[in-house]
Amino acid sequence: MELIFSQAVNSLVYAMLLFVLSAGLSLIFGLMNVINIAHGSFFMIGGYVALALAGATGNYWLALTLAPVPAIAMGVVMERVFLRRLYKRGHLDQVLLTFGFTYIFIGGVRWLWGADIRTLAVPGILEGAVEIGSLALPKYRLFIIGVGLALATLLWLLLERSRFGAMVRAGVDDAFTATGLGIDVSLLFSAVFALGVGLSALGGVVAAPVLGVYPGLDAEVLIPSFIVVVVGGLGSLKGAFIASIVVGVLDTLGKSYLPELSIFIVYLALIVVLLTRPQGLCGRVPA
């Protein structure tokens, strides 16, 4: 029983990290129809900036709050100066451009911080474990789960119950009509891109004490996040949340009980969804 509960907690921790990363990717990919291969780079940059801020101030919470800001600024510049020129062109151009940015970001990270694996220290209040009977649950892992659930709730309220969310849906469904109604679709899409990048960077900060930060982290997290987006359905926040839990459970249990088949199990789930429900678990069927 203890082992099952421990595996469930580990699955939820990984699932929430995947959700924070893939939610931003789902927004950009599903709502804007933009493929951003550099999305994982912002996850990595968020972790590195948090490491620098925490080292300079000794304050994890300040790093958690401010670390996404430089990543958001870089993302906005990348979107407005470079990606915007490619909106009317094919996805291949977007892939090539953002793939090039991944090398720029990795080069910058290596130049500033080197190639060693670094780990962000856990704040004192989150050190240790919470004991429930004979179970000892690490406080920081419970914090990650809490962050993921809180962000899922806030994003749902933002996209489904706010004026901003209504404008985003209008801009996606019919940009021409939305512009005629006075909505600045260009600015709106920049805001969506900034939100997606910010979520990725925030995920990197939260994950830094668990995964560490190092050049190449971006590529390692990008593939699982794309799997989550495809399985959940493009642009579906609910789908991203459900798919994150599915992939998190399959990956964690696979590595524990069938380590030689763990990667195959996750990809098998992707194949099954693509064959039986190509639009994803919660995606809309194309008209």
Side-chain angles (χ1 to χ4, degrees), residues 66 68 70 76 103 119 127 152 203 209 217 222 272 275 287:
L66 297 181
V76 169
Y103 282 97
T119 304
E127 290 181 342
L217 175 64
L222 182 64
V272 170
L275 290 177

Side-chain angles (χ1 to χ4, degrees), residues 58-90:
N59 191 324
Y60 170 86
W61 304 108
L62 184 64
L64 179 66
T65 304
L66 297 181
V69 175
I72 292 173
M74 286 187 284
V76 169
V77 170
M78 186 177 82
E79 189 271 336
R80 294 188 73 88
V81 177
F82 299 97
L83 265 177
R84 181 160 300 187
R85 303 169 184 268
L86 305 181
Y87 282 173
K88 295 182 180 180
R89 295 164 67 174

Side-chain angles (χ1 to χ4, degrees), residues 203-215:
V205 179
V206 174
V210 178
L211 301 179
V213 286
Y214 49 90

Side-chain angles (χ1 to χ4, degrees), residues 139-262:
K139 292 181 181 178
Y140 193 78
R141 292 181 179 269
L142 295 178
F143 169 72
I144 292 175
I145 295 174
V147 168
L149 294 175
L151 284 175
T153 303
L154 291 174
L155 286 172
W156 178 79
L157 290 173
L158 178 66
L159 295 175
E160 300 295 334
R161 293 292 185 270
S162 72
R163 178 180 173 83
F164 174 79
M167 289 192 297
V168 169
R169 293 194 300 274
V172 171
D173 290 337
D174 192 337
F176 181 79
T177 302
T179 302
L181 293 173
I183 298 175
D184 189 337
V185 175
S186 175
L187 181 61
L188 190 66
F189 277 15
S190 291
V192 171
F193 195 88
L195 176 61
V197 167
L199 287 171
S200 180
L202 182 63
V205 179
V206 174
V210 178
L211 301 179
V213 286
Y214 49 90
L217 175 64
D218 53 341
E220 290 187 15
V221 299
L222 182 64
I223 294 176
S225 65
F226 265 117
I227 292 175
V228 166
V229 170
V230 174
V231 170
L234 301 183
S236 172
L237 184 66
K238 177 182 177 181
F241 186 80
I242 294 173
S244 295
I245 295 177
V246 171
V247 173
V249 170
L250 290 177
D251 185 78
T252 301
L253 295 181
K255 288 178 178 176
S256 298
Y257 299 106
L258 297 169
E260 67 279 1
L261 296 177
S262 59

